[in-house]
Amino acid sequence: MPNFYGVKEGKIPGVYNSWEDCEKQIKGFSGAVYKKFKDYDSALEFISQDKTYSPQNVPEKDVLYAYVDGSYNNGDNIAGYGVVIVKNDTVLFKDLGAFRITDMIESRNVFGEIRGALKAVELALANDFTDIVIAYDYKGIECWATGEWKANKILTKDYRDFMQKYMKKINIGFKKIKAHSGEDKYNELADLLAKRAVGIL
């Protein structure tokens, strides 16, 4: 029976399905917190307890970041996303997309934020990456995925379910970015792509 390793404090917190992968995240990391479990859900619960499940002291080198943002066009009821995937200060992928929404209008740009996060993970999986850190400016992207926030709507329930399924295939971390501060060029680029996707730029 396979074991799962929950890394609560490490280079990239997450659930790992081998000791070798777990060890990479804790070796040389001062104050590492981790534990072995028999099932994935228990490991996920462990790393989500009493913390925001975001990487601590992650070295910039060799970390794959996916900057995601969403936008909404009121006139046309179109939600869009922008994704910028970066490693070692080099942009590997840029993507944008738009969706006309009719039955989830109240979600507005959150719909785009969610679609961007899902697209980022899909791109990482399609290119055989084993780890990704989603850099977001809307906290629901992290909190619904980890179960910190209760998913009450169809949109957020589907997002939670998909992300928890993806977490069994790839190690996913999260990083909060200050929205529209101009301090992070990749966050600004993701925002620009999201606006372009819905036709407001």
Side-chain angles (χ1 to χ4, degrees):
M1 179 179 293
N3 291 313
F4 295 89
Y5 300 84
V7 178
K8 183 181 282 193
E9 297 288 348
K11 295 174 183 175
I12 302 181
V15 177
Y16 297 85
N17 56 17
S18 74
W19 167 247
E20 290 75 17
D21 288 340
C22 173
E23 188 178 29
K24 290 176 186 175
Q25 306 308 320
I26 62 175
K27 193 171 183 180
F29 186 93
S30 178
V33 179
Y34 61 98
K35 191 174 179 181
K36 181 171 77 172
F37 295 89
K38 294 295 184 186
D39 63 275
Y40 175 86
D41 290 338
S42 296
L44 180 62
E45 183 179 357
F46 168 72
I47 65 171
S48 301
Q49 286 173 345
D50 305 320
K51 73 185 297 295
T52 57
Y53 185 41
S54 58
Q56 304 291 323
N57 303 322
V58 177
E60 292 295 318
K61 183 174 169 52
D62 297 330
V63 176
L64 186 75
Y65 286 101
Y67 290 80
V68 302
D69 210 345
S71 191
Y72 183 73
N73 184 324
N74 287 301
D76 297 323
N77 291 336
I78 295 175
Y81 70 82
V83 176
V84 181
I85 296 184
V86 181
K87 186 174 184 180
N88 295 334
D89 206 31
T90 299
V91 175
L92 303 182
F93 302 103
K94 290 187 293 185
D95 192 44
L96 71 164
F99 306 84
R100 188 176 301 278
I101 54 177
T102 55
D103 55 349
M104 289 182 278
I105 293 175
E106 74 282 358
S107 299
R108 300 169 63 85
N109 64 307
V110 173
F111 186 98
E113 304 261 2
I114 283 174
R115 290 302 309 173
L118 292 171
K119 184 65 175 182
V121 179
E122 289 167 0
L123 283 168
L125 285 168
N127 288 278
D128 298 322
F129 294 114
T130 57
D131 304 87
I132 190 169
V133 175
I134 297 176
Y136 63 87
D137 59 23
Y138 178 68
K139 195 163 175 62
I141 293 302
E142 175 179 355
C143 293
W144 284 316
T146 62
E148 185 179 341
W149 286 4
K150 185 176 180 181
N152 295 314
K153 299 178 180 179
I154 292 174
L155 176 66
T156 54
K157 286 178 181 177
D158 285 348
Y159 173 68
R160 175 202 62 200
D161 292 346
F162 274 111
M163 288 299 283
Q164 292 191 0
K165 180 180 73 173
Y166 286 147
M167 286 174 182
K168 296 177 182 178
K169 300 178 180 179
I170 185 173
N171 300 312
I172 302 174
F174 298 91
K175 180 180 179 181
K176 179 75 169 72
I177 302 292
K178 189 184 292 185
H180 313 301
S181 66
E183 297 174 5
D184 193 307
K185 62 184 177 181
Y186 299 122
N187 184 52
E188 295 301 312
L189 179 54
D191 178 55
L192 178 70
L193 290 170
K195 286 183 169 66
R196 188 174 294 162
V198 299
I200 57 177
L201 264 185

